[in-house]
Amino acid sequence: RAANPFRPFLRHRRDAVVVAEVAGEPAGIAARDDGGDCISDLWVSPLHEGRGVGSALLQSLEDAIAASGHGRARLELLSANARAMALYRRRGYRPVWEAFKRDATLGVQLHKTGMAKSLLPYRPALR
């Protein structure tokens, strides 16, 4: 859709985007900011939730972040998103801040939690 706010993001940031496929169909997408240590997006299709897609996407970004020389990965999420919070905690992320922040895409204040995970020592995942 032309009005989709993520189209420009995907067009300009394709080198920082990872897409998961299951049986040749898109199952999820994740991205990081400008080659840095911040994971900006992670989305899994409802049809593929609970099947390891989110963990695989997260691992791929963590590997890229560590390979770029960063010792930690950071992200922020809606504080009320219990399912995402549980995934990140299982994957070793810990809350480091909580605040109301203005969402640039939606143009509203949202209650968010910032989380971080140490990536040291870096060991690439076996594929």
Side-chain angles (χ1 to χ4, degrees):
R1 297 183 181 106
N4 186 327
F6 297 105
R7 284 184 152 242
F9 172 82
L10 292 173
R11 222 180 347 266
H12 298 294
R13 306 282 314 291
R14 79 175 43 133
D15 61 330
V17 175
V18 179
V19 177
E21 291 183 356
V22 174
E25 295 293 320
I29 187 170
R32 68 183 182 126
D33 283 340
D34 300 323
D37 67 349
C38 185
I39 296 170
S40 61
D41 298 272
L42 190 135
W43 175 83
V44 175
S45 164
L47 298 173
H48 299 287
E49 287 179 353
R51 297 181 178 183
V53 172
S55 290
L57 287 165
L58 204 50
Q59 184 66 55
S60 180
L61 289 180
E62 289 169 1
D63 289 348
I65 289 167
S68 296
H70 300 284
R72 71 174 181 169
R74 298 179 301 122
L75 56 86
E76 62 182 59
L77 68 150
L78 290 174
S79 299
N81 189 340
R83 189 171 183 125
M85 186 78 72
L87 167 66
Y88 296 132
R89 283 185 180 275
R90 278 193 312 274
R91 298 280 309 164
Y93 288 80
R94 298 293 171 247
V96 293
W97 61 262
E98 191 175 322
F100 282 91
K101 291 183 70 178
R102 182 170 178 76
D103 184 279
T105 303
L106 299 176
V108 297
Q109 292 277 79
L110 298 173
H111 188 229
K112 297 220 175 174
T113 298
M115 302 182 86
K117 174 184 177 178
S118 173
L119 300 178
L120 298 174
Y122 170 61
R123 290 184 203 100
L126 297 176
R127 302 230 189 257

